[in-house]
Amino acid sequence: MYDLIVIGAGPGGYVCAIRAAQLGLKVACVEGRETLGGTCLNVGCIPSKALLHASHMLHETHENFEKMGLMGAHVEVDWSKMQDYKQDTVNSNTGGIEFLFKKNKVDWIKGWASIEAPGKVKVGDTVHEAKNIVVASGSVPSALKGLEIDNEKGVIVDSTGALALPKIPKSMVVIGAGVIGLELGSVYRRLGAEVTVVEYLDVITPGMDAEVQKQLQKTLTKQGLKFVLGAAVQGATASDDGATVSYQLKKDGSEQQIEAEVVLVSTGRRPYADGLGLDALGVEMTDRGYIKVDGHWATSVKGVYAIGDAVPGPMLAHKAEDEGMAVAEVIAGKHGHVNYDVIPSVIYTTPEVASVGLTEAAAKEGGRKVKVGKFPFMGNARAKAQFLGEGFVKLIADAETDRILGCHIIGPSAGDLIHEVCVAMEFGASAEDLALTCHAHPTVSEAVREAALACGSGAIHA
Ligand SMILES: Cc1cc2nc3c(=O)[nH]c(=O)nc-3n(C[C@H](O)[C@H](O)[C@H](O)COP(=O)(O)OP(=O)(O)OC[C@H]3O[C@@H](n4cnc5c(N)ncnc54)[C@H](O)[C@@H]3O)c2cc1C
């Protein structure tokens, strides 16, 4: 009898299993894939970041090396080697989780699980017993009506197919201007493809700060990505050498078509709980297919918990990890907690985009009086030396108390810079607290301090 069986070994599930074992529980984790790590390590965060890194290096050699006096032969791309590098990165990470399972004495039960009854998890013909079950079954790409995904054929693909195309296409249509579409679109643009992003809304990256949206679209356009916004995709037909996407422009109702060698459908992901038997068990779901949980990640069935992409909230690896740790603590009789107001989100384009907390618009809609401190990376010496002077830090603070409410960054290392603001927010810091903190020179982090100074008596370098 286990204290806990976790179903799914993505960042939610494997982190939960490790933390529970560290807290002294007897733990098993069931995973149906061949390798541990879930979407994130196998077909999500990690392989996409490997391709973003490699293609960014290529971009640097073409765009900036000569400017720095680095001369030499033109760098060529060996796509198959780049795929090997991506796969090696994935393998070393998934293997790392296997090592951590052994180190922490977490049993990996290989196969697909279903829950027969509370406390009974069936894998193959064997029923394993546990006092508690955590469902961390994650998510899968959501379908778009009129488009048939065929990752094998490699013409109309989802993100999983786009990470492993047989060759670099000459042209690509990306449907959906969200994080995944823009990241993978950037990869193929840097590798030479003509990339057009078709988006239903009139803006890219819905939900982000409006000024960041505008700046990101401007910068990506300079990098050669094309955008068709306000366009409702009707369908796509694949042929031997590509596909034709039909869409209707919302502003005038006109029907349009665009052809490309590859079409990437990146219109979002849906929670995945197929085959688990949750219906029969009586687990309540939301009307959008997520598993309903309370403030302690308990489902409507006693002893069954759920976390990560399978439950409501942002579909992010670190949100799943935090819930994994917290629910392990709850099951071990401690006080697990996740602060949903301070969950950063990052887009790994160049420049990176990162945000946490309220946008200026959301704060105002909520009736708050805010002050905004903005600082452009053009005033940051280190950013300029790296040809990354585009973009800014925008800090939102309460007008009366000076408490930091949110931060939105587009610029170099934004995904790392955001965390000093996260820590500050966790401590309930004011903009002045950040402004009074000495930041090393020359670092791009000085831009965050300058934005905090701009909330008070003014930035120095702007
Ligand atoms: C291309 C791409 C890029 C991304 N980049 C980022 C990023 O940069 N940063 C970020 O934060 N997030 C990113 N994400 C999102 C991130 O991958 C997910 O939010 C995260 O993986 C969710 O973790 P999870 O543990 O909830 O589920 P998952 O990672 O989806 O893992 C669930 C696991 O459960 C297993 N499973 C399901 N049902 C069963 C069953 N019945 N029996 C056994 N096993 C089962 C599945 O096989 C899977 O391995 C990206 C996603 C994609 C697709």
Side-chain angles (χ1 to χ4, degrees), residues 72-140:
H74 195 75
V75 172
E76 300 287 335
V77 177
D78 182 329
W79 180 234
S80 137
K81 268 201 170 158
M82 198 181 280
Q83 285 284 321
D84 289 347
Y85 148 72
K86 179 204 75 180
Q87 200 51 46
D88 287 347
T89 310
V90 167
N91 294 347
S92 74
N93 281 285
T94 57
I97 308 302
E98 219 173 314
F99 163 78
L100 290 175
F101 270 14
K102 282 188 189 132
K103 181 178 163 199
N104 289 285
K105 301 194 172 44
V106 173
D107 291 341
W108 173 11
I109 303 174
K110 297 185 185 181
W112 297 98
S114 59
I115 308 176
E116 297 278 280
K120 294 193 190 315
V121 176
K122 189 171 179 198
V123 184
D125 294 330
T126 313
V127 175
H128 304 267
E129 301 209 342
K131 291 182 196 150
N132 299 282
I133 297 169
V134 170
V135 178
S137 49
S139 63
V140 289

Side-chain angles (χ1 to χ4, degrees), residues 58 90 151 179 196 200 250 265 295 335 350 357 375 384 427 440 453:
L58 178 73
V90 167
N151 286 335
V179 179
T196 306
Y200 180 78
K250 287 197 286 174
V265 183
H335 300 283
T350 300
F375 184 80
K384 275 194 294 192
F427 280 84
L453 281 165

Side-chain angles (χ1 to χ4, degrees), residues 170-388:
K170 288 202 174 60
S171 55
M172 177 181 256
V173 166
V174 176
I175 303 175
V179 179
I180 294 175
L182 295 183
E183 287 184 358
L184 291 175
S186 285
V187 165
Y188 286 102
R189 175 67 206 126
R190 293 169 190 165
L191 295 173
E194 289 291 326
V195 176
T196 306
V197 182
V198 181
E199 163 62 46
Y200 180 78
L201 297 175
D202 296 324
V203 291
I204 66 169
T205 60
M208 283 258 165
D209 175 88
E211 288 183 273
V212 170
Q213 287 174 332
K214 245 192 230 160
Q215 179 66 52
L216 179 62
Q217 186 179 341
K218 197 171 139 195
T219 307
L220 292 179
T221 303
K222 261 200 224 162
Q223 292 171 11
L225 276 93
K226 296 193 181 95
F227 291 92
V228 180
L229 302 181
V233 169
Q234 316 285 322
T237 38
S239 63
D240 284 344
D241 54 357
T244 307
V245 177
S246 343
Y247 60 90
Q248 188 179 47
L249 277 182
K250 287 197 286 174
K251 62 176 181 208
D252 57 12
S254 63
E255 304 281 341
Q256 310 275 339
Q257 288 194 330
I258 181 168
E259 287 178 7
E261 228 176 282
V262 170
V263 174
L264 162 60
V265 183
S266 51
T267 47
R269 296 178 63 81
R270 66 166 178 86
Y272 179 80
D274 300 7
L276 281 164
L278 298 186
D279 241 11
L281 199 64
V283 172
E284 276 181 40
M285 310 292 283
T286 72
D287 49 8
R288 302 191 62 196
Y290 294 92
I291 302 170
K292 255 192 198 171
V293 286
D294 68 10
H296 292 105
W297 305 279
T299 69
S300 55
V301 172
K302 201 170 176 331
V304 180
Y305 299 79
I307 56 165
D309 280 9
V311 305
M315 286 185 159
L316 292 169
H318 42 285
K319 177 260 193 187
E321 290 185 38
D322 277 22
E323 288 178 341
M325 275 194 278
V327 76
E329 308 254 344
V330 167
I331 291 169
K334 299 183 178 297
H335 300 283
H337 175 71
V338 175
N339 181 0
Y340 289 100
D341 291 336
V342 185
I343 294 188
S345 74
V346 179
I347 310 178
Y348 298 85
T349 44
T350 300
E352 287 183 356
V353 175
S355 68
V356 66
L358 295 177
T359 59
E360 185 182 355
K364 285 181 179 164
E365 269 162 34
R368 281 177 185 266
K369 285 205 177 87
V370 296
K371 32 184 189 175
V372 175
K374 207 172 150 193
F375 184 80
F377 279 102
M378 206 37 102
N380 179 275
R382 187 73 183 277
K384 275 194 294 192
Q386 297 169 3
F387 309 105
L388 289 168

Side-chain angles (χ1 to χ4, degrees), residues 27-79:
V27 185
C29 183
V30 192
E31 174 54 58
R33 262 178 223 276
E34 294 297 309
T35 47
L36 300 172
T39 303
C40 172
L41 268 57
N42 289 283
V43 290
C45 321
I46 300 306
S48 61
K49 266 79 248 178
L51 290 183
L52 277 158
H53 177 67
S55 59
H56 176 64
M57 291 288 120
L58 178 73
H59 174 88
E60 286 296 284
T61 62
H62 290 172
E63 295 295 315
N64 294 326
F65 270 31
E66 217 178 292
K67 292 182 201 159
M68 296 183 282
L70 298 171
M71 318 304 282
H74 195 75
V75 172
E76 300 287 335
V77 177
D78 182 329
W79 180 234

